[in-house]
């Protein structure tokens, strides 16, 4: 028998978790007026239409229509059930959930049964590998390897590093003993199979780096061989419907709270770089995993920060990867800076050789995308040759013309002017010409996007409402924030609203207040049984209305609603009479009634 958690406990937990704080852990919000705004995480957009109301403790996207309270947001963003969202919120706020409910709470719909089994298998294997590394003879060489590489005990614990022994059946036997079907684990990278019948450990002889998804669940491994001759040296879990390298960033789950506070992310290439950065006091680092930065990675990061510092290897390949990544980040609208690791070192080795303070200085002194790009493209030109010098200057002007800030543009133009002894007026003319050419398609594109955006808003969110519709919508908005107004409306109108959805909503609202509840939209929507009524409530709650409602305004609302009520009743009566006249084959009466219907419709328009 399932135990239903009391509504007052739900209210307490959601009330103890501020919606702005919780949503800010998942995306970047900017305060404008009384509300906060950001780019909606549920659909692609360039203009922020995702609104969060700290007063009402609700969110609503005016683009895709999603909305709700703090629990709803967690359910949507992490694709979890209400019970899991509530447990997450309780853990954040320190609230206690009833033991009966915890023991009987339903599983969330986030994953299929097979995926849930795989995640459990990863959870068990992660504990096993970590234990082997720290507490067994089998893990001694691996632990010494990590210590010799400069990994601290704290880092090994924090990142839950592990070791898979050089035994073919070690993990397989362990998981089989836990009741897992081994053949299902092959596609997800925990085991390998030779013939589909016999199974052996995939990562044997390797240090294990657990990879978490953005909800904190282990869904893959990176393995590093520690013995000479073991190939390949680096081995990752294969791509699966749980693990997709183009959508996952190493350490994202643990770093998220740090890079939101610091307003920037440090982007590395490898696991070791991230861990050494953590040891150097830089906890806001993430890494791509054996793949280049993708547009999806950039889109994910843009939800949280504006600035990305790229800290890749200092060799030629690392510089090239930095240049490509910076262009992807710039295209996504992010401010990219590049940390120049000297002497072709990688960040891991730089930390070991120079220490934490120097490593932090390296990060903080990262140069801008423009400065890095101007230096990077020089490799393609022989600047001692006139022809190549001209080509370089042309390319440099292309890059500088993309700089939005006039002061920064002037800085780089001055550098070009002095380095190549150029006429400043000529440089300014070239920049103006390039900017004019670039501006034309952008302006056209902006006009098209603006027109489309306005058209979408017109269709979805900015409909024209008749007088009675506006009256009902604004009246309900006042009722949602004022119990006294709701009481007066109940006495005068009851549920006699003209729009059926409004009738349903106010019926629930009257019941909510009759139970002794205070006005609170976030709590109220938890009691609504269907999604459409919840979304309507959120939409109306966010209507811009005056704090107070005068008696005259209230009477005007009543008048508009009652007038439509009377019109509707008269129209229904006439339509019934018309049907009867047609049934009795009385064309004269039908024509007369038809004229009255036309006149009545004209009245409603005027």
């Amino acid at each position: 028998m399932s135990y239903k958690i009391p509504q007052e406990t739900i209210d307490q937990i959601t009330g103890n978790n501020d919606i702005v704080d919780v949503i800010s852990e998942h995306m970047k919000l900017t305060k404008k007026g009384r509300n906060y705004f950001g780019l909606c995480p549920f659909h692609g957009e360039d203009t922020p239409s995702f609104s969060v109301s700290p007063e009402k403790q609700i969110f609503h996207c005016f683009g895709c229509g999603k909305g709700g309270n703090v629990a709803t947001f967690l359910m949507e963003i992490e694709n979890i059930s209400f019970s899991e969202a509530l447990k997450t919120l309780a853990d954040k706020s320190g609230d206690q959930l009833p033991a009966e409910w915890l023991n009987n709470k339903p599983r969330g719909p986030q994953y299929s049964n097979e995926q849930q089994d795989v995640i459990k298998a990863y959870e068990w294997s992660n504990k096993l590998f970590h234990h082997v590394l720290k507490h067994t003879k089998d893990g001694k060489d691996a632990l010494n390897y990590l210590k010799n590489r400069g990994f601290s005990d704290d880092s090994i614990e924090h990142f839950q590093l592990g070791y898979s022994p050089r035994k073919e059946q070690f993990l397989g036997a362990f998981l089989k003993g836990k009741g897992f079907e081994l053949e299902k684990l092959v596609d997800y990278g925990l085991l390998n199979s030779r013939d589909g019948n016999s199974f052996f450990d995939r990562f044997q002889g390797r240090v294990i780096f657990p990879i978490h998804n953005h909800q904190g669940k282990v869904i893959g491994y990176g393995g590093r061989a520690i013995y000479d001759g073991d190939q390949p040296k680096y081995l990752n879990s294969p791509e699966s419907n749980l693990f997709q390298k183009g959508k996952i960033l190493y350490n994202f789950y643990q770093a998220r709270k740090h890079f939101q506070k610091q307003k920037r992310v440090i982007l590395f290439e490898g696991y070791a770089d991230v861990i050494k950065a953590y040891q150097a006091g830089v906890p806001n680092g993430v890494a791509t995993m054996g793949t280049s930065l993708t547009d999806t990675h950039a889109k994910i990061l843009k939800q949280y920060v504006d600035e990305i510092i790229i800290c890749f290897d200092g060799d030629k390949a690392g510089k090239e990867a930095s240049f490509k990544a910076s262009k992807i980040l710039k295209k996504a609208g992010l401010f990219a800076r590049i940390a120049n690791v000297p002497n072709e070192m990688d960040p891991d080795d730089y930390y070991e050789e120079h220490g934490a303070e120097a490593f932090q200085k390296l990060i903080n002194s990262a140069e801008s995308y423009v400065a890095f790009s101007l230096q990077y493209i020089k490799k393609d030109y022989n600047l001692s040759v006139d022809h190549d010098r001209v080509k370089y200057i042309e390319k440099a002007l292309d890059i500088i013309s993309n700089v939005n800030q006039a002061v920064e543009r002037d800085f780089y133009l001055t550098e070009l002017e002095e380095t190549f002894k150029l006429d400043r007026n000529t440089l300014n003319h070239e920049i103006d010409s390039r900017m004019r050419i670039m501006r034309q398609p952008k302006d056209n594109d902006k006009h098209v996007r603006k027109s489309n955006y306005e058209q979408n808003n017109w269709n979805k969110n900015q409909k024209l409402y008749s007088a009675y519709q506006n009256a009902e919508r604004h009246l309900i908005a006042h009722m949602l924030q004022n119990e006294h107004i709701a009481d007066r409306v109940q006495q005068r109108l009851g549920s006699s609203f003209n729009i059926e959805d409004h009738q349903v909503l106010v019926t629930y609202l009257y019941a909510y207040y009759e139970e002794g509840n205070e006005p609170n939209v976030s709590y109220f929507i938890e009691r609504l049984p269907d999604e459409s009524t919840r979304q309507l409530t959120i939409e109306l709650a966010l209507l811009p209305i005056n704090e107070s409602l005068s008696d005259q305004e209230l009477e005007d609302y009543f008048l508009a609603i009652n007038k439509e009520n009377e019109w509707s009743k008269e129209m229904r009566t006439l339509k019934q009479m018309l049907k009867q006249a047609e049934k009795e084959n009385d064309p004269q009466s039908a024509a007369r009634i038809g004229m009255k219907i036309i006149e009545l419709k004209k009245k409603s328009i005027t």
Side-chain angles (χ1 to χ4, degrees), residues 69 141 153 177 185 207 224 241 326 345 390 417 433 439 466 479 501 538 543 570 578 603:
N69 61 10
D141 287 349
D153 289 333
L185 304 179
V207 169
R224 206 284 187 191
N241 54 25
S326 63
M345 301 175 75
V390 172
E417 176 189 6
S433 175
R439 197 179 297 124
S466 63
M479 293 166 67
D501 289 342
I538 293 161
L543 284 176
E570 187 175 352
L578 179 61
K603 277 186 185 179

Side-chain angles (χ1 to χ4, degrees), residues 549-564:
L549 180 65
S550 69
D551 288 342
Q552 184 57 55
E553 288 174 314
L554 185 58
E555 288 300 324
D556 288 343
Y557 286 150
F558 287 149
L559 180 63
I561 294 168
N562 284 327
K563 183 178 178 183
E564 178 64 20

Side-chain angles (χ1 to χ4, degrees), residues 322-341:
S322 296
F323 184 64
K324 289 178 179 177
S326 63
K327 289 200 292 184
I328 290 172
L329 294 171
K330 190 173 185 300
K331 178 185 171 185
L334 288 156
F335 176 52
R337 293 167 60 199
I338 295 87
N340 277 309
V341 183

Side-chain angles (χ1 to χ4, degrees), residues 234-498:
Y234 297 99
L235 182 65
N236 282 336
S237 294
E239 294 276 310
S240 70
N241 54 25
L242 281 178
F243 178 62
Q244 296 164 350
K245 288 183 287 186
K247 296 180 179 179
I248 297 290
L249 290 161
Y250 178 69
N251 196 45
F252 180 92
Y253 177 72
Q254 294 195 89
R256 183 166 59 193
K257 59 181 179 290
H258 298 291
F259 60 63
Q260 283 181 296
K261 288 178 183 176
Q262 299 187 26
K263 307 299 183 187
R264 68 183 189 185
V265 171
I266 318 301
L267 180 66
F268 297 100
E269 286 184 286
Y271 315 121
D273 298 332
V274 170
I275 296 171
K276 294 298 180 63
Y278 169 81
Q279 291 181 190
V282 181
N284 53 328
V286 299
T288 56
M289 294 172 292
T291 184
S292 301
L293 186 78
T294 66
D295 291 335
T296 301
H297 289 144
K299 183 180 177 183
I300 290 168
L301 292 173
K302 193 178 190 312
Q303 293 178 8
Y304 299 89
V305 295
D306 290 321
E307 180 183 0
I308 311 288
I309 294 178
I310 300 169
C311 189
F312 289 175
D313 293 353
D315 58 11
K316 182 179 178 182
K319 298 285 187 187
E320 184 176 352
S322 296
F323 184 64
K324 289 178 179 177
S326 63
K327 289 200 292 184
I328 290 172
L329 294 171
K330 190 173 185 300
K331 178 185 171 185
L334 288 156
F335 176 52
R337 293 167 60 199
I338 295 87
N340 277 309
V341 183
N343 303 324
E344 297 193 354
M345 301 175 75
D346 60 40
D348 173 5
D349 292 335
Y350 184 85
Y351 164 75
E352 288 300 322
E353 186 168 321
H354 298 282
E357 188 176 341
F359 190 89
Q360 291 181 14
K361 188 176 180 180
L362 174 76
I363 297 296
N364 293 327
S365 61
E367 61 185 359
S368 71
Y369 163 79
V370 176
F372 173 81
S373 298
L374 292 175
Q375 186 62 35
Y376 177 77
I377 64 171
K378 282 183 180 178
K379 65 179 177 55
D380 298 325
Y381 304 96
N382 182 355
L383 297 184
S384 63
V385 178
D386 289 346
H387 177 68
D388 267 18
R389 272 205 306 274
V390 172
K391 287 174 68 176
Y392 168 76
I393 293 167
E394 292 282 350
K395 188 69 175 176
L397 288 170
D398 289 340
I399 293 171
I400 296 170
S401 63
N402 279 283
V403 176
N404 294 323
Q405 291 77 21
V407 173
E408 186 181 359
R409 234 179 7 252
D410 183 71
F411 174 82
Y412 292 116
L413 287 175
T414 301
E415 202 172 65
L416 272 185
E417 176 189 6
E418 293 174 353
T419 302
F420 295 98
K421 311 301 181 191
L422 299 168
D423 179 67
R424 184 53 181 265
N425 290 329
T426 301
L427 291 176
N428 288 335
H429 174 75
E430 288 293 325
I431 287 290
D432 290 342
S433 175
R434 283 166 168 78
M435 291 180 69
R436 202 161 42 244
I437 292 169
M438 287 189 302
R439 197 179 297 124
Q440 289 174 357
K442 283 185 178 179
D443 288 345
N444 291 337
D445 183 50
K446 189 185 295 182
H447 175 73
V448 171
R449 287 204 312 269
K450 184 179 178 184
S451 299
N452 289 339
Y453 179 74
E454 289 175 350
Q455 184 64 36
N456 288 336
N457 273 351
W458 180 271
N459 292 335
K460 290 182 180 178
N461 307 306
Q462 298 182 4
K463 298 174 184 175
L464 283 177
Y465 294 102
S466 63
Y468 83 90
Q469 289 173 318
N470 268 321
E472 292 189 3
R473 287 168 60 83
H474 285 82
L475 188 54
I476 293 173
H478 281 286
M479 293 166 67
L480 286 166
Q481 69 178 26
N482 191 312
E483 182 183 356
H484 176 63
I485 291 174
D487 186 54
R488 291 180 66 179
V489 174
Q490 186 174 16
Q491 292 177 25
R492 286 283 295 273
L493 293 178
S495 59
S496 298
F497 284 70
N498 294 283

